[in-house]
Amino acid sequence: MMLTPDQIVAFLAAAMLITLSPGPDNLMVLSLGIARGRRHGMVFGLGCALGCLSHTLLAAAGISALLAASAAAFLALKLAGGLYLVWLGVQALRSHGRQWQGGGQGQQDGLAALFGKGLLANAINPKVVLFFLAFLPQFIVADGGAIAWQTLQLGVLFTLQAALLFGLLGYFSGYAGQWLMTTPRRSMWLDRIAGAVFVALGLRLIFSR
């Protein structure tokens, strides 16, 4: 069963509102875009968005329901996700400042690594697991059958709109970053601000109920 136009419109309206509402992914994309430039913000945002595909597969396979039912598994995943965000923040806090420059092999390697960090940060976030478990079924037509196939389509649709919105957020936040990062000292302080955001989000995830 393919999604109906009504399903798509209703789902996209809700998904875009959720994606645009203030949250960890938004703050991380925004802080990186300002601190290191629009390309970095866009690449990290794309990684965060594509991380949703792993949650889509889990939801479709029913593993998310099993994970939600296991307090120990949820706690372990929450701690892993929070510690990973704290680690990202500490790395940024230790930075001595970086000039934002285009081109170069080192820049490409940095972008690839940043994409992987965004992908992993989203993929191991247990709150996203539970979000998909609670959100996607609301737009599934039970009478239409093929529940897993509908879930996959909705998850891919969510990923695409998130990639677009996060990309735009990273792109426009980078304009401010280009001006602010004209000196290494500004770059250093912006990295520290971004690092503080990552650490705060990680601690919030670790100690949240």
Side-chain angles (χ1 to χ4, degrees):
M1 173 184 173
M2 299 300 294
L3 298 178
T4 66
D6 290 341
Q7 272 181 293
I8 294 174
V9 171
F11 179 78
L12 278 180
M16 292 177 70
L17 286 175
I18 291 172
T19 303
L20 290 173
S21 63
D25 288 342
N26 281 359
L27 291 175
M28 288 188 288
V29 173
L30 182 62
S31 62
L32 278 170
I34 293 176
R36 301 188 185 181
R38 60 175 179 261
R39 290 176 64 187
H40 289 78
M42 293 173 68
V43 167
F44 186 82
L46 181 60
C48 286
L50 292 183
C52 294
L53 292 177
S54 64
H55 303 301
T56 299
L57 294 175
L58 287 173
I63 300 178
S64 292
L66 179 62
L67 184 61
S70 172
F74 176 73
L75 178 61
L77 189 57
K78 185 175 74 168
L79 291 176
L83 290 173
Y84 180 70
L85 291 178
V86 171
W87 180 81
L88 293 179
V90 171
Q91 297 304 306
L93 288 171
R94 296 175 61 187
S95 168
H96 297 292
R98 305 178 182 86
Q99 289 276 12
W100 185 78
Q101 299 173 350
Q105 183 63 38
Q107 177 78 354
Q108 294 301 319
D109 291 340
L111 291 175
L114 199 59
F115 172 83
K117 289 179 178 179
L119 186 69
L120 183 59
N122 183 283
I124 65 176
N125 189 336
K127 290 195 173 182
V128 182
V129 175
L130 296 182
F131 166 76
F132 268 63
L133 180 63
F135 182 66
L136 297 185
Q138 299 181 41
F139 298 90
I140 291 175
V141 179
D143 294 340
I147 303 300
W149 174 233
Q150 290 187 63
T151 303
L152 285 173
Q153 293 178 80
L154 291 172
V156 170
L157 195 58
F158 187 94
T159 300
L160 292 175
Q161 63 84 31
L164 174 61
L165 294 180
F166 284 162
L168 290 173
L169 179 62
Y171 182 86
F172 287 110
S173 66
Y175 280 116
Q178 288 182 51
W179 179 82
L180 290 169
M181 294 183 67
T182 54
T183 66
R185 186 174 180 82
R186 289 174 180 171
S187 173
M188 178 183 67
W189 281 105
L190 286 170
D191 268 348
R192 289 179 178 177
I193 292 172
V197 171
F198 276 76
V199 171
L201 293 172
L203 293 176
R204 180 183 177 186
L205 181 59
I206 290 172
F207 293 106
S208 63
R209 293 183 180 180

